[in-house]
Amino acid sequence: MKRIFNKTTAVLLLFFTLVSFASFAQTTVSGTVKDANGEGLVGINVIVKGTVTGAATNLDGKFTFTTNTAPPFKVQVSGVGYETKIIDVSNSSQNLDITLKDQISVTMQVVVTASRVEESILQSPVSIEKMDILDIQNTPADNFYDGLANMKGIDLVPSGMLIKMVNARGFGGPYQTRFVQRFDGMDMQSPALSIPFGNMAGIHDIDVESVEIQPGAASALYGPNAFNGVMNMTSKNPFFYQGLTVQMKQGFNNVNTTTVDEEATPYSEFALRYGKKLSNKFAVKVNFSYLRARDWAANDQRLLALNNDGLFAVSSSNETPINGNAINTYGDEAAIGQVGGVNIHRTGYKESELTEYNVQNLRADATLYYRITDKIEASYMVKYAEGNGLLSGANRYSYRPQFVINKLELKGSNFFLRAYNMDQRAGNGSYDLNTAANLLQNQSKDNATWLTDYTTAYNSNGGNHALARTAADKGRLTLNSPEFETIKNKIPAEGGGAFIEEGRITHVEGQYDFTSLFNDVVGVTVGASYRRFQVESNGTIFDDRGDKGPVSYYDIGGYIQVTKSFLDEKLKVVASGRYDKSEFFDGLITPRASLVFSPTKQHNFRASYQTGFKNPVFQEQSIFFPLAPGVLVLAGGRQGFQDAAHTGTRFDVNTFSATGEPITVPFVQPEQVTSVEFGYKGMLTPALFVDASYNRNTYTNFIGLDLSRGVLASDGVVYIFYENLPGTFSTQGATFGTNYTFGKGFTASANYTWTTLVDQLPVGFVPNFNTPEHKVNLSFGNRKLTDKLGFNLTWRWQSEFDFLFALSGQNITGTIGTFNTFDAQLTYKVRQGFTAKIGGSNIFNQYYTQALGAAAIGGMYYITFTFDQFGR
């Protein structure tokens, strides 16, 4: 693949060089853009339609640029918060004087994600959600990523402050492999773990141009794992967003919490963006951001007890947490004996005793842009990012990923070709909390010695369990001990709990829009993709230690989409299909078809049939992870040793006994979904926008995990495999959203999301539906209450739901309670280009969790100062 990537790079550079020698006659375009009051507008983009050539207005609303396009031609004038205008340019000496009106509705918004080509958001063939620059500036959340939780149909599940999972339409939780997250066209998943780490390696608020989310099956255009949806984050191009932007944020969290010593802990962030148009052909952009804070803590000390379904359920037992299997305590999972007729568990380690909750996130990137012609732009980006946080998976992990990304892209008005490498590694300090807890216990005393000391003290103190535990715990190692430092930094094969992950994604992707060849009568878009994944873990995640080398696989795919309008543009028909082939699995075809009927531009009805699939991700294919050393192994099914381990005797892990049932577990296969969706999007009045939809989804070969069911192989080890759920099952859901604009810039909005399982799933199988049935968001604000003042208020509520998840080597289940949060922000324009924003999320500080074992989220309070050189 390295040869392919190098050849692609060489071809692109050669093409850039050859084309750049061409000479063209140039036309100068200049003018002024004003608002309805005659004031010059800064940051308005003026682009020659059908090209990448243009400029942004300066502080006075003026613009000028040169183009190789000869008159007559059209320019598109657009800016966030203003209507879009198309202006005719008939000669090179024409001076343009343009007035833009405020955009008070979404009717002029354009999206790309739904069809991979530009189209009106009202006529999108599938559900689509969008957040633009104004939405980001006005969200009460302290960053745009947290603001995604207020979108209809979207779930945002935090493991902590930095590691968060975006999802849609069910099967959520703190570990999400069914939702694709893209940043400027790059898939931001971890090569080994196949999940995005929130926005840790992504894009800062000050460089975001837009965020678009398509909930639901999107594989017909985006390929594997776009199963529950896809999110595209787009950054600002320095040809149109120039100048220096600096943002400083200071805040605090962890107010009135019992998990840290301080009353409240500080939160600070610094971000800088600089974009510069060096000439009509060259531009450069630099970003830097750094965040420091104390993470939200996970401190759920409720006990888990085995129920009749073989699940570890949150118990109502009167046992004290110190003598049982507590959710966020590790090393206490199993009883090691009986004393005085009571099952005795070792004293485990709370999460706060195994990790320091200090988090940081550093992101830095630089991009060079070069306009080869009026219609072709090349760019090269290099990016570095690192951060840390607590991750929930089969166990809880302290995780410190580091990323290096290189991307080369060639983009025109009707095509793109990009190639990038994303190298990611788990940095020093990445370790398994469960393993660390057990190793600390064993290094202080083995189980037999500890139980003997407990029994002796119990008998000599008149049957007092508390004194017996105190005596047995003498010599207990702590977070500050040298032994713990060794455990954190040594891999399991060397007696530690650290894990290693050095992975790479290499991706080459291209798309071409042939619509102009058909005289715009029919739209035809084709695209293709090649990806290769490679990971080395030194035996800590996969069976790749020593000479076995790295594990790897590739996938290829291609798609075509055809769009045709009928009945004087009132009926739009869109059909697309994609073929994907992964190295270890048969090829799959995923079609999509949709109709959009628009009796008027204000009313749009849509119906669609969508399909999606998810190939087994790296872990489901190849993981080799001891949940209990030498006894219980979580295994995949495509690399080396696992082939033989797939055959053996069925084993009940909860009772630790063989059932005598011979079993051969088949290799896990891709899962698939078919979905139908009906919706309406339109303006009921010039001020009232409505978007409503219904969806029903049917799943086949769904991949899940049952930690109570193992296979006792001939080597004497119990293996637990990912398996496909037999048969099919369905879910359904609906969303409703409305936005009403009134008075002088006041906006009230509301949305509701309903998601539910139609069919009951087998007990013990863990598909991670984990989604509230009902969610409501309400918002009220005015970004221009006065010339200097704006505000926004948001209330969020969700119903309680049953949660089932694999954690600490067990299938755990319990109820996530209903909760509501209230967010608020006030923005004050100190002067042109300098803005202060004070706000808070969950300002009443009502701690809540969205996943068992994950962090409890409280209030976050902040003040932000933003300086923009051009006063935007």
Side-chain angles (χ1 to χ4, degrees):
M1 183 61 219
K2 185 177 181 180
R3 292 169 57 194
I4 294 175
F5 185 79
N6 289 339
K7 287 181 179 179
T8 302
T9 303
V11 170
L12 289 175
L13 290 174
L14 178 61
F15 182 66
F16 298 164
T17 303
L18 291 174
V19 176
S20 65
F21 281 114
S23 61
F24 301 92
Q26 293 192 332
T27 299
T28 300
V29 181
S30 60
T32 306
V33 182
K34 303 175 182 177
D35 63 15
N37 297 320
E39 297 291 331
L41 292 174
V42 63
I44 299 298
N45 293 324
V46 185
I47 306 173
V48 178
K49 196 166 176 60
T51 76
V52 296
T53 301
T57 58
N58 63 16
L59 285 169
D60 299 318
K62 297 183 181 299
F63 67 91
T64 183
F65 62 90
T66 59
T67 176
N68 296 314
T69 304
F73 54 80
K74 298 178 184 295
V75 295
Q76 178 175 293
V77 186
S78 62
V80 177
Y82 296 93
E83 64 177 1
T84 297
K85 271 191 174 182
I86 305 297
I87 307 295
D88 290 315
V89 176
S90 57
N91 58 75
S92 58
S93 61
Q94 183 176 348
N95 187 63
L96 303 179
D97 191 1
I98 305 164
T99 299
L100 295 185
K101 296 179 182 178
D102 286 351
Q103 179 180 299
I104 61 172
S105 71
V106 300
T107 55
M108 299 299 293
Q109 283 192 350
V110 172
V111 292
V112 178
T113 299
S115 301
R116 296 193 79 147
V117 293
E118 287 190 357
E119 62 188 350
S120 165
I121 194 172
L122 291 180
Q123 294 186 316
S124 167
V126 294
S127 292
I128 192 79
E129 300 294 315
K130 182 172 183 177
M131 176 184 287
D132 62 22
I133 295 171
L134 291 180
D135 296 323
I136 293 168
Q137 292 174 349
N138 292 300
T139 179
D142 66 297
N143 61 82
F144 86 90
Y145 203 86
D146 284 350
L148 299 176
N150 296 320
M151 287 183 168
K152 64 180 182 299
I154 306 303
D155 296 314
L156 183 68
V157 181
S159 286
M161 182 176 291
L162 296 180
I163 299 180
K164 302 163 183 155
M165 299 295 151
V166 180
N167 188 45
R169 298 190 179 176
F171 308 105
Y175 198 95
Q176 183 53 251
T177 62
R178 295 183 174 93
F179 190 95
V180 171
Q181 178 174 305
R182 293 159 60 97
F183 157 41
D184 281 347
M186 298 178 292
D187 190 340
M188 298 306 293
Q189 66 172 290
S190 160
L193 303 183
S194 305
I195 59 173
F197 296 103
N199 196 33
M200 194 179 290
I203 182 171
H204 192 273
D205 293 38
I206 61 174
D207 193 37
V208 177
E209 183 179 53
S210 68
V211 181
E212 296 179 8
I213 300 180
Q214 181 196 326
S219 293
L221 293 178
Y222 292 95
N225 303 357
F227 193 80
N228 286 355
V230 61
M231 176 169 70
N232 281 316
M233 298 180 287
T234 304
S235 68
K236 297 173 180 175
N237 186 308
F239 278 110
F240 303 109
Y241 297 92
Q242 296 190 58
L244 175 68
T245 304
V246 178
Q247 186 177 94
M248 298 184 67
K249 186 180 299 180
Q250 188 69 49
F252 58 93
N253 66 330
N254 287 308
V255 177
N256 294 329
T257 180
T258 59
T259 55
V260 295
D261 296 332
E262 298 95 335
E263 172 65 19
T265 57
Y267 163 88
S268 61
E269 184 178 31
F270 172 81
L272 176 149
R273 177 191 184 275
Y274 181 70
K276 178 64 174 177
K277 179 181 175 181
L278 303 175
S279 70
N280 284 329
K281 286 188 173 293
F282 282 99
V284 65
K285 179 175 70 173
V286 176
N287 281 290
F288 174 84
S289 67
Y290 181 70
L291 175 150
R292 293 185 63 182
R294 186 161 178 110
D295 207 348
W296 304 112
N299 191 35
D300 190 341
Q301 297 303 316
R302 292 178 297 172
L303 295 181
L304 297 168
L306 191 64
N307 65 16
N308 294 331
D309 293 326
L311 306 173
F312 284 86
V314 176
S315 173
S316 58
S317 168
N318 290 325
E319 288 184 279
T320 58
I322 204 171
N323 186 41
N325 176 14
I327 295 175
N328 285 125
T329 296
Y330 314 110
D332 64 345
E333 286 76 25
I336 61 171
Q338 275 200 347
V339 177
V342 176
N343 289 327
I344 301 300
H345 296 243
R346 282 203 70 163
T347 305
Y349 288 86
K350 293 181 180 180
E351 187 166 291
S352 57
E353 296 178 293
L354 294 170
T355 185
E356 295 178 347
Y357 283 113
N358 298 322
V359 296
Q360 58 87 30
N361 183 203
L362 183 149
R363 292 173 289 187
D365 62 75
T367 310
L368 178 66
Y369 295 78
Y370 176 61
R371 286 178 173 168
I372 301 171
T373 72
D374 279 359
K375 296 186 177 182
I376 302 175
E377 180 179 279
S379 63
Y380 172 72
M381 182 196 76
V382 60
K383 184 181 183 74
Y384 175 80
E386 65 175 47
N388 67 289
L390 275 294
L391 174 66
S392 294
N395 289 336
R396 282 278 280 178
Y397 311 100
S398 176
Y399 199 58
R400 296 178 177 272
Q402 299 171 336
F403 305 83
V404 176
I405 302 171
N406 287 271
K407 184 186 76 162
L408 184 63
E409 183 168 18
L410 184 67
K411 183 165 60 175
S413 58
N414 63 344
F415 78 96
F416 70 79
L417 177 63
R418 71 173 65 99
Y420 65 90
N421 280 327
M422 182 170 72
D423 292 280
Q424 188 239 316
R425 68 184 299 270
N428 293 334
S430 296
Y431 61 95
D432 179 349
L433 270 61
N434 298 71
T435 300
N438 281 283
L439 289 172
L440 274 176
Q441 289 175 331
N442 291 335
Q443 288 192 23
S444 58
K445 294 179 183 178
D446 59 46
N447 285 346
T449 302
W450 188 91
L451 186 62
T452 297
D453 291 348
Y454 188 105
T455 304
T456 300
Y458 175 83
N459 292 330
S460 62
N461 286 280
N464 189 310
H465 283 285
L467 292 177
R469 185 170 294 277
T470 299
D473 283 341
K474 285 183 178 178
R476 183 172 182 262
L477 298 173
T478 68
L479 177 71
N480 298 318
S481 64
E483 291 86 351
F484 183 67
E485 288 301 313
T486 300
I487 288 169
K488 285 198 306 179
N489 294 303
K490 285 191 174 182
I491 63 175
E494 300 170 350
F499 58 89
I500 294 173
E501 176 194 358
E502 295 184 359
R504 166 174 284 193
I505 297 176
T506 302
H507 189 186
V508 180
E509 183 182 27
Q511 177 180 291
Y512 196 94
D513 186 353
F514 289 95
T515 302
S516 61
L517 296 181
F518 297 93
N519 297 318
D520 295 331
V521 174
V522 60
V524 179
T525 306
V526 299
S529 167
Y530 177 94
R531 295 190 299 181
R532 186 171 185 268
F533 300 80
Q534 179 176 306
V535 177
E536 293 184 77
S537 73
N538 196 19
T540 61
I541 302 175
F542 306 105
D543 188 33
D544 62 346
R545 196 153 194 257
D547 295 335
K548 294 182 179 180
V551 291
S552 64
Y553 73 94
Y554 69 84
D555 62 45
I556 58 174
Y559 58 90
I560 182 170
Q561 177 173 264
V562 179
T563 304
K564 174 65 177 172
S565 295
F566 302 91
L567 304 177
D568 295 327
E569 307 289 322
K570 288 182 170 59
L571 179 65
K572 182 171 72 171
V573 180
V574 185
S576 57
R578 179 172 175 129
Y579 174 80
D580 287 277
K581 173 71 176 72
S582 185
E583 181 174 359
F584 298 121
F585 303 99
D586 294 335
L588 288 171
I589 296 176
T590 49
R592 186 183 86 174
S594 62
L595 298 172
V596 180
F597 178 59
S598 306
T600 69
K601 291 184 178 180
Q602 286 72 39
H603 301 286
N604 303 270
F605 302 86
R606 65 184 185 273
S608 65
Y609 170 82
Q610 305 167 56
T611 58
F613 77 100
K614 183 177 83 72
N615 283 325
V617 297
F618 237 136
Q619 292 198 61
E620 293 160 350
Q621 292 187 45
S622 308
I623 193 170
F624 180 62
F625 189 77
L627 294 171
V631 180
L632 187 64
V633 173
L634 180 61
R638 285 289 171 183
Q639 302 284 338
F641 89 97
Q642 294 102 318
D643 295 355
H646 268 257
T647 299
T649 303
R650 182 60 82 184
F651 195 86
D652 188 323
V653 176
N654 290 334
T655 62
F656 219 73
S657 61
T659 64
E661 174 191 356
I663 186 72
T664 297
V665 179
F667 290 142
V668 67
Q669 296 298 313
E671 60 186 20
Q672 296 176 266
V673 59
T674 59
S675 177
V676 293
E677 180 183 312
F678 303 95
Y680 165 81
K681 186 176 291 185
M683 304 297 300
L684 296 186
T685 73
L688 180 61
F689 168 74
V690 170
D691 183 5
S693 68
Y694 167 81
N695 63 84
R696 187 179 177 97
N697 315 280
T698 301
Y699 301 88
T700 306
N701 275 343
F702 202 87
I703 298 172
L705 187 66
D706 185 351
L707 290 177
S708 69
R709 288 160 43 90
V711 176
L712 178 60
S714 58
D715 59 4
V717 176
V718 176
Y719 296 93
I720 297 176
F721 296 99
Y722 289 94
E723 300 182 51
N724 295 107
L725 179 66
T728 64
F729 66 92
S730 298
T731 67
Q732 62 180 340
T735 63
F736 177 82
T738 183
N739 183 285
Y740 181 64
T741 304
F742 61 97
K744 293 185 177 181
F746 288 94
T747 301
S749 62
N751 64 65
Y752 166 73
T753 303
W754 173 62
T755 311
T756 186
L757 274 168
V758 176
D759 303 304
Q760 187 67 37
L761 300 178
V763 170
F765 187 84
V766 184
N768 300 330
F769 186 73
N770 298 336
T771 303
E773 184 172 0
H774 307 284
K775 294 189 300 179
V776 175
N777 295 289
L778 304 177
S779 182
F780 175 68
N782 189 329
R783 67 184 181 90
K784 289 185 177 180
L785 187 63
T786 69
D787 289 341
K788 292 183 175 292
L789 196 64
F791 75 96
N792 199 7
L793 310 172
T794 300
W795 179 75
R796 180 163 62 102
W797 173 89
Q798 71 175 42
S799 61
E800 72 174 23
F801 62 98
D802 293 331
F803 190 92
L804 179 60
F805 191 60
L807 184 67
S808 301
Q810 303 166 323
N811 291 340
I812 68 171
T813 185
T815 299
I816 300 297
T818 184
F819 70 85
N820 68 89
T821 64
F822 186 77
D823 307 342
Q825 66 89 1
L826 186 68
T827 303
Y828 181 72
K829 184 180 290 187
V830 180
R831 61 177 176 81
Q832 185 75 6
F834 184 48
T835 303
K837 177 179 176 181
I838 185 170
S841 55
N842 191 11
I843 61 175
F844 296 121
N845 201 38
Q846 298 179 353
Y847 280 85
Y848 66 91
T849 59
Q850 290 185 256
L852 291 178
I857 311 298
M860 169 72 78
Y861 312 93
Y862 64 88
I863 184 168
T864 302
F865 297 101
T866 304
F867 166 78
D868 187 284
Q869 180 181 350
F870 288 105
R872 289 162 295 203

